Amino acid sequence: MWQGVYPAVTAKFNEDDSLDHKEMEKSFAFQIEAGVDGLIVNGSLGEGPMLSHDERLAVLKTAKSVAGKRPVLMTIADSATRDCASLAKRAAQAGADGLMVVPSLVYHTNHKETVATLSSIAEAADLPVMIYSNRVAYRVDVTVEVMADLAKDKRFVAIKESSDDIRRTIEIFNALGDRYDVFTGVDNLAYEALAVGAVGWVAGLVIAFPHETVAIYRLMKAKRYDEALAIYRWFRPLLDLDVSTYLVQNLKLVEALVTGTTERVRAPRLPLEGEMRAKVEKIVADALARRPALAKAA
């Protein structure tokens, strides 16, 4: 159902900490114009858990206003299942094309609880769902066995595979065939995941480098692996910034340096400073100095 490059877009803030919808329109449109296949709002990179439900729905509305026919997925991530279900229902009413669902933010659910939580959210919205499997960040492992149980419900259509173990992608295919559209959710494993069969990329550094991200994906699908690998090798130092406790600050700084947008974050996060900031600035400067020319791919 879903394939291609889906940016996990950032939220933009004014100086008074209110949402900056004009800047979001500009940033989201940049992604669409570069040829991405959809947008995902209010994820980890989008600071969704830091936003109220009303704010998250407002971001969804802004994304829908610029996405055209491309799908916009709403991330559902809250502590209590009832709050997730409530937001999911409101997202459906607001026009979300689908959901990306995090199993549990605070309490570490077991197999039965994970299946029950995800099923309740899917039922509340009655929308297609991408399951966010990220045991590293959220400590809830959406195992292949959980995926198999959820496969009985046709609303579960995709997996964002972020276990940080490329073997998991193969295990999903071996156990479940093509039941799910499998997306890679780890920027610096994207080439590897696409090489073993992933059909999509929920991307982070795409917010600053959408053309390069789209080029890698399309070249991989065209089996032009060497060309894709050359871009990916150039991209890797930047992609590594996605795998960090400070991924939001890292990527917002990269986005600001490359596109001229803002890098404001919502507290308790603070913008990078000192050595951490200098490191990111150097990585960006080095990358821009060696930015590759892009070949056309079907």
Side-chain angles (χ1 to χ4, degrees):
M1 180 175 181
W2 295 320
Q3 296 188 8
V5 175
Y6 278 59
V9 292
T10 53
K12 299 298 178 187
F13 301 105
N14 294 304
E15 289 185 7
D16 65 0
D17 199 41
S18 62
L19 290 173
D20 186 346
H21 288 281
K22 288 186 178 179
E23 193 63 27
M24 282 189 280
E25 287 177 4
K26 176 183 172 183
S27 297
F28 299 169
F30 178 47
Q31 300 297 309
I32 297 298
E33 291 161 4
V36 303
D37 299 282
L39 300 175
I40 299 179
V41 297
N42 304 317
S44 303
L45 183 55
E47 297 173 84
M50 305 298 174
L51 308 181
S52 71
H53 283 194
D54 286 346
E55 286 179 317
R56 289 184 237 186
L57 291 164
V59 174
L60 170 66
K61 181 178 179 181
T62 296
K64 288 285 294 181
S65 73
V66 300
K69 296 182 179 180
R70 293 171 177 81
V72 178
L73 277 59
M74 171 80 146
T75 305
I76 305 296
D78 269 308
S79 298
T81 300
R82 70 171 188 174
D83 294 334
C84 290
S86 174
L87 180 58
K89 184 175 181 179
R90 292 181 68 189
Q93 294 168 343
D97 297 291
L99 308 176
M100 183 175 76
V101 181
V102 178
S104 179
L105 279 181
V106 178
Y107 174 70
H108 307 137
T109 51
N110 63 28
H111 179 121
K112 183 178 180 180
E113 292 167 330
T114 301
V115 170
T117 294
L118 291 168
S119 297
S120 295
I121 296 166
E123 183 176 357
D126 196 25
L127 288 174
V129 173
M130 176 184 292
I131 303 165
Y132 188 5
S133 171
N134 189 339
R135 63 188 179 188
V136 177
Y138 302 114
R139 295 168 62 184
V140 174
D141 191 4
V142 183
T143 64
V144 175
E145 291 75 21
V146 169
M147 296 175 197
D149 281 353
L150 293 170
K152 303 164 190 174
D153 186 336
K154 294 183 180 179
R155 287 172 292 209
F156 293 103
V157 300
I159 306 291
K160 179 186 175 184
E161 169 44 38
S162 299
S163 70
D164 205 33
D165 184 348
I166 196 63
R167 293 171 293 190
R168 176 63 66 83
T169 301
I170 293 290
E171 290 164 3
I172 295 170
F173 289 126
N174 283 351
L176 300 167
D178 61 358
R179 168 60 183 83
Y180 291 106
D181 292 333
V182 178
F183 281 63
T184 178
V186 181
D187 267 2
N188 63 4
L189 279 178
Y191 181 94
E192 293 84 347
L194 293 169
V196 299
V199 300
W201 181 359
V202 177
L205 268 300
V206 66
I207 60 175
F209 295 96
H211 296 93
E212 287 83 356
T213 307
V214 169
I216 290 170
Y217 178 82
R218 292 182 179 174
L219 288 166
M220 291 296 290
K221 290 304 165 183
K223 298 184 179 180
R224 293 161 61 179
Y225 302 122
D226 289 346
E227 294 170 80
L229 183 58
I231 302 170
Y232 186 68
R233 285 175 173 169
W234 162 83
F235 214 177
R236 255 300 295 275
L238 289 158
L239 298 177
D240 289 346
L241 296 172
D242 181 57
V243 186
S244 167
T245 302
Y246 300 96
L247 72 95
V248 174
Q249 294 98 315
N250 285 346
L251 272 61
K252 276 196 161 182
L253 176 55
V254 174
E255 186 183 20
L257 291 170
V258 177
T259 73
T261 189
T262 63
E263 61 167 306
R264 298 185 188 102
V265 290
R266 177 162 283 181
R269 289 188 176 93
L270 295 172
L272 296 181
E273 58 184 17
E275 291 184 8
M276 293 176 67
R277 185 179 188 88
K279 176 183 176 182
V280 174
E281 290 174 339
K282 183 178 187 307
I283 290 171
V284 172
D286 290 347
L288 291 176
R290 300 182 298 105
R291 196 170 191 172
L294 300 178
K296 292 185 178 180

